[in-house]
Amino acid sequence: MRSFDIIVIGAGHNSLACAALLAKSKRHVLVLEAGPEIGGAARTAEFAPGYKVSPVAHIVNQIDPAVISALDLGRYGLELAPAILPTTVLSADGRNLVMKGGFGETIDGDLSKADVAAWRELRAKLLKLADTLGRMLSETPPRLKNGELADWVTLGKLGLAIRGLGRESMRELLRMILMNIADVLEEEIADDRLKGAIAFDAVLSNHFGPRSPNTLLTLLYRLAGEVGGVQGAIALPKGGMGTVGKAFHAAATAAGVVVETNAKVANILIEDHCVAGVLTCSGEKIAAKLVVSGTDPRQTLLELVGPRHLDTEFVRRVRNFRARGNVARVHIALNGMPRFNGVDAKAMTGRFLVAPGINALEKAFDASKYGRFSPNPALEIVVPTVTDQSFAPAGHHVLSINAIYAPYKLKGGWSDEQRAGFLERVLATLDTVSTGLRQQIVASEVLTPADLEVRYRLPGGHWHHGELAVDQMFMLRPVPETAQYETPLAGLWLCGAGSHPGGGVRGLAGLNAAKRILKQKAV
């Protein structure tokens, strides 16, 4: 029987970050990936002959500087180009808004003077609150019940961070934190285009509409990230998201991690209520005193371990961890450059949104609540071929689209007919902001949340492995007993997006888990 100090399940970016840091500390680490490729959500794939996309995450806005530094990712191929992408809010009449810099530092377009002034003030307030939240995300959350002195110190630091906002900002944080994003925007902004764009960022990837509680919090979560030191900025990685996954992989292997693909874990072996290793689907038993799982908490605890090894109340909490994906990935191959209304060909580098306003987003969400896809989906679009022609044949281009809302549990199931119907609704939406696009289509692909679950092992097709909601964040994520990455089973730890601070290509869950393991001297 082979033996390692630590086995890490999954080769997504969090797992690789965790494995790399542990290996740097002289542990003998094995990473087992069920599929043929590493990277998890950070990968590049061909969807039609000659045409490639980043099929899950397609922009970078949250890789934590601490992760980049700890793993020296720049040395291993992580490169962003261009540094900061503008966001163009598309309108049917070509009256677009172009948000430049980090989170619309400047906005080109016909905004009123009142909205320009209101946006400047609201943006500053949101970024300040997000910066405070970011400090909470970078810390291992404190354990309140039976907590150690270090837990109370951490809690004290969080309190001081909030107090450091100043009296007025602290009051605003306490007033606003549980508000929905619609109420926040409607207090300050009149322009529907700007409100639609900000609300889109607040709801993307969660089972929320803009009038759902917690949606200010989810916006702040997104804004807590940075690119090149610019808060709220977004970028495209050179070579697609696959280069991000490869950079994490290269950092791990350079640290001495052994990575094996096509090595699906069937069970985590338990002896006397302690981890003893894993059993792979090929029948191999591999011994280890510590197993760290980057897969989602429900699969880890209820399938790989099994309820018989766990407390009944704990099992109930894990089962109730919500993960309801609502985003479909739509990939379209074109025989030429797409033409968006009011957008010059030289301005095609960037991110494009079709989100006409708060009410339009809320109506789109209404359909998903009852198991139907949105008849008028909102879209986030990037054209990666503008900056990287390797994604398509010469002169051809690719649209990479996040389309909401497409519920994981569609009434009647995601049949070929339903897929075609949703694609038609996406194309109909594109028709309102583009010219001649249908005539340019060479090939297309629709990946529903159900597809994302099967292909990329995202539970419920959810990017974060679970909703980002107040009752599923910080010291409650995924459940209180596992808030610090350690489970009730001795030797079993979590490091995936289902743990604090959550998903997105951030890497902090893996880094924090490794730091906690080393601090606890678990192995």
Side-chain angles (χ1 to χ4, degrees):
M1 184 187 299
R2 290 194 292 164
S3 178
F4 291 80
D5 294 329
I6 302 167
I7 295 173
V8 179
I9 301 174
H13 65 284
N14 277 310
S15 293
L16 292 170
C18 182
L21 195 62
L22 293 171
K24 283 187 173 187
S25 299
K26 309 303 180 185
R27 272 65 173 184
H28 191 204
V29 183
L30 170 67
V31 171
L32 297 175
E33 166 57 39
E37 298 180 24
I38 56 88
R43 67 175 72 191
T44 303
E46 189 175 74
F47 71 96
Y51 299 89
K52 297 186 296 183
V53 288
S54 301
V56 187
H58 66 178
I59 60 173
V60 168
N61 67 333
Q62 292 184 319
I63 301 180
D64 196 271
V67 176
I68 294 174
S69 175
L71 303 187
D72 199 7
L73 293 179
R75 177 184 177 188
Y76 295 108
L78 178 65
E79 185 177 0
L80 307 178
I84 300 177
L85 294 180
T87 293
T88 300
V89 187
L90 297 171
S91 297
D93 58 7
R95 294 174 54 249
N96 305 327
L97 298 180
V98 183
M99 304 175 68
K100 297 180 177 178
F103 191 49
E105 183 178 3
T106 62
I107 300 180
D108 294 346
D110 58 348
L111 275 183
S112 69
K113 290 183 179 179
D115 271 347
V116 169
W119 170 244
R120 187 181 299 117
E121 184 176 337
L122 178 60
R123 174 184 177 273
K125 181 192 299 184
L126 293 175
L127 289 177
K128 188 175 183 179
L129 297 179
D131 180 64
T132 300
L133 177 67
R135 295 179 220 176
M136 300 180 189
L137 298 179
S138 64
E139 296 275 355
T140 297
R143 179 171 291 164
L144 301 185
K145 185 178 181 180
N146 302 322
E148 301 172 355
L149 177 61
D151 295 313
W152 292 104
V153 169
T154 299
L155 191 63
K157 286 180 181 179
L158 299 182
L160 288 173
I162 294 172
R163 187 70 180 268
L165 289 169
R167 181 177 296 178
E168 185 175 340
S169 293
M170 184 174 67
R171 286 175 178 169
E172 276 295 272
L173 174 64
L174 296 175
R175 180 183 76 87
M176 295 171 63
I177 193 65
L178 297 182
M179 288 178 67
N180 66 64
I181 191 61
D183 285 348
V184 172
L185 294 171
E186 288 173 344
E187 282 185 356
E188 309 283 351
I189 306 294
D191 192 278
D192 283 335
R193 297 165 298 175
L194 181 56
K195 288 189 289 188
I198 304 308
F200 183 94
D201 279 348
V203 302
L204 181 64
S205 82
N206 279 292
H207 187 67
F208 297 144
R211 300 193 186 280
S212 301
N214 302 316
T215 43
L216 173 63
L217 184 60
T218 53
L219 177 64
L220 296 180
Y221 178 89
R222 183 178 177 94
L223 295 180
E226 64 177 68
V227 173
V230 180
Q231 188 182 0
I234 57 175
L236 290 175
K238 282 189 176 180
M241 292 301 294
T243 60
V244 177
K246 289 177 181 177
F248 276 90
H249 179 238
T253 54
V257 176
V258 177
V259 180
E260 297 180 3
T261 56
N262 295 312
K264 187 175 182 179
V265 172
N267 296 109
I268 295 171
L269 302 175
I270 309 295
E271 295 178 3
D272 298 325
H273 207 65
C274 297
V275 162
V278 301
L279 172 67
T280 69
C281 288
S282 66
E284 182 184 9
K285 289 184 178 181
I286 308 173
K289 291 183 179 179
L290 194 144
V291 172
V292 187
S293 179
T295 192
D296 72 277
R298 285 190 298 187
Q299 183 181 2
T300 299
L301 295 163
L302 303 183
E303 297 178 25
L304 300 184
V305 172
R308 69 186 182 280
H309 296 292
L310 301 166
D311 176 78
T312 302
E313 179 60 20
F314 177 77
V315 168
R316 185 189 68 81
R317 287 188 185 130
V318 173
R319 280 193 173 128
N320 289 335
F321 187 63
R322 302 184 306 280
R324 297 167 290 187
N326 250 332
V327 184
R329 294 283 300 145
V330 180
H331 309 134
I332 302 176
L334 305 174
N335 62 15
M337 178 74 76
R339 298 183 295 278
F340 294 130
N341 300 345
V343 179
D344 186 89
K346 295 179 181 179
M348 289 300 294
T349 298
R351 179 179 75 138
F352 300 89
L353 297 182
V354 184
I358 286 173
N359 289 338
L361 278 172
E362 190 67 26
K363 288 178 181 178
F365 177 58
D366 283 342
S368 73
K369 290 188 291 188
Y370 303 102
R372 302 188 300 271
F373 58 69
S374 304
N376 298 298
L379 309 177
E380 176 188 67
I381 309 160
V382 296
V383 189
T385 38
V386 174
T387 56
D388 191 339
Q389 190 57 57
S390 69
F391 275 50
H396 288 218
H397 288 275
V398 165
L399 296 185
S400 175
I401 303 172
N402 285 325
I404 58 175
Y405 294 85
Y408 169 69
K409 290 186 177 180
L410 187 73
K411 188 175 291 184
W414 280 104
S415 64
D416 290 344
E417 183 179 358
Q418 293 277 42
R419 291 169 193 276
F422 185 71
L423 176 61
E424 173 54 35
R425 298 319 306 156
V426 170
L427 294 176
T429 300
L430 288 170
D431 285 341
T432 67
V433 296
S434 66
T435 303
L437 187 137
R438 287 181 187 257
Q439 288 71 44
Q440 295 178 293
I441 295 176
V442 175
S444 63
E445 176 185 56
V446 175
L447 295 180
T448 72
D451 297 322
L452 295 173
E453 179 178 63
V454 171
R455 191 176 295 189
Y456 301 111
R457 296 173 182 82
L458 300 176
H462 202 294
W463 300 353
H464 300 286
H465 289 191
E467 302 288 358
L468 293 176
V470 171
D471 64 322
Q472 293 192 171
M473 293 182 74
F474 306 114
M475 62 279 290
L476 302 176
R477 188 172 185 88
V479 294
E481 296 91 334
T482 61
Q484 295 182 324
Y485 312 102
E486 188 175 9
T487 75
L489 285 169
L492 178 59
W493 294 69
L494 304 176
C495 73
S499 295
H500 175 81
V505 181
R506 188 183 291 269
L508 270 178
L511 193 72
N512 285 350
K515 288 181 177 178
R516 184 71 181 174
I517 290 167
L518 295 172
K519 183 178 180 180
Q520 294 292 94
K521 298 180 180 178
V523 67

